[in-house]
């Protein structure tokens, strides 16, 4: 069967057939053919098979296919593939699938991809994923996304990443979130961030944080 052509009709493949395809053979399916695989078929791929997908196949993912990805499959996504993952597909991953992405993979997402994440996905970030985020990724963080971050994740950000959060997003942090910021993050507080701190946020500042101002 010639997987590089349309001779092997992907819409006729069954879930059991797809699961049996060698990863190297799966990678030979054209992007158009891959996009035609049903969600039921996509859901049967193993993490190894997902990790072997070409960047063209990843780019060709449909929204429905992205929604069908499981946490086991998402754990197989590689750093080579993330640049080809369209923002509209990335933000359709379930929270469990998103939380399963390896920290190294999350670290390769660009600012546009991070800015397109849903608040539910941001809330589902693991501390390891949060710690992998860079300043360049967080410059486009929205107010809603900042407010959705768990305190443990927020305090896991590196000082440089925290310092890159824009003033609008910073203004969305709650008093509780501010109170849980690490001393290193407080030391990295920018003049612009400090200037927009509200009275409510200031009410959460601790004595150990204050000495870092």
């Amino acid at each position: 069967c010639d997987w590089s052509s349309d001779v092997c009709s992907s819409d006729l493949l069954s879930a059991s057939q797809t699961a049996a395809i060698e990863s190297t053979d799966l990678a030979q399916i054209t992007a158009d053919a891959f996009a035609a695989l049903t969600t039921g078929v996509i859901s049967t791929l193993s993490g190894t098979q997902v990790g072997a997908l070409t960047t063209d196949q990843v780019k060709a993912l449909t929204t429905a296919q992205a929604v069908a990805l499981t946490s086991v499959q998402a754990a197989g996504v590689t750093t080579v593939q993330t640049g080809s993952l369209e923002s509209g597909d990335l933000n359709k991953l379930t929270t469990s699938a998103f939380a399963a992405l390896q920290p190294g993979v999350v670290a390769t997402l660009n600012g546009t991809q991070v800015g397109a994440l849903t608040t539910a996905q941001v809330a589902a970030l693991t501390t390891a994923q949060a710690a992998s985020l860079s300043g360049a990724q967080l410059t486009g963080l929205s107010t809603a996304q900042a407010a959705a971050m768990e305190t443990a994740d927020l305090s896991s950000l590196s000082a440089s990443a925290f310092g890159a959060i824009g003033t609008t997003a910073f203004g969305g942090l709650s008093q509780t979130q501010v109170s849980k910021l690490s001393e290193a993050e407080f030391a990295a507080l920018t003049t612009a961030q400090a200037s927009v701190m509200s009275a409510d946020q200031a009410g959460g500042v601790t004595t150990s944080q204050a000495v870092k101002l």
Side-chain angles (χ1 to χ4, degrees):
C1 184
D2 181 8
W3 291 107
S4 64
S5 71
D6 291 326
V7 175
C8 295
S9 183
S10 60
D11 59 354
L12 298 180
L13 286 175
S14 68
S16 59
Q17 288 173 322
T18 307
I21 296 175
E22 294 288 340
S23 297
T24 52
D25 293 331
L26 183 64
Q28 299 307 309
I29 297 177
T30 65
D32 287 342
F34 182 78
L37 293 174
T38 67
T39 55
V41 167
I42 289 293
S43 66
T44 64
L45 296 177
S46 67
T48 300
Q49 286 176 311
V50 169
L53 296 178
T54 67
T55 53
D56 285 339
Q57 288 172 326
V58 171
K59 189 173 183 178
L61 268 173
T62 66
T63 300
Q65 288 175 330
V67 173
L69 290 174
T70 66
S71 56
V72 173
Q73 293 171 315
V77 174
T78 69
T79 55
V80 175
Q81 295 170 324
T82 49
S84 300
L85 193 56
E86 296 182 354
S87 299
D89 294 329
L90 178 65
N91 66 16
K92 295 301 187 298
L93 294 180
T94 63
T95 54
S96 58
F98 181 76
L101 292 174
Q102 300 296 328
V105 167
V106 172
T108 64
L109 298 177
N110 60 43
T112 300
Q113 289 172 312
V114 171
L117 296 178
T118 66
T119 54
Q121 288 173 323
V122 172
L125 275 167
T126 66
T127 53
Q129 288 175 329
S132 74
L133 293 171
S134 67
Q137 292 174 300
L138 296 180
T139 53
L141 199 69
S142 70
T143 304
Q145 288 176 320
M149 286 193 78
E150 297 287 341
T151 54
D153 296 331
L154 188 62
S155 63
S156 294
L157 296 177
S158 66
S160 59
F162 179 75
I165 293 176
T167 54
T168 301
F170 181 84
L173 298 179
S174 68
Q175 184 182 97
T176 300
Q177 286 175 308
V178 170
S179 71
K180 299 298 182 181
L181 294 177
S182 69
E183 293 180 14
E185 287 173 322
F186 242 77
L189 200 69
T190 66
T191 302
Q193 288 173 330
S195 69
V196 297
M197 185 180 290
S198 68
D200 182 66
Q201 289 175 318
V205 177
T206 66
T207 52
S208 61
Q209 290 172 326
V211 298
K212 299 297 181 180
L213 286 173

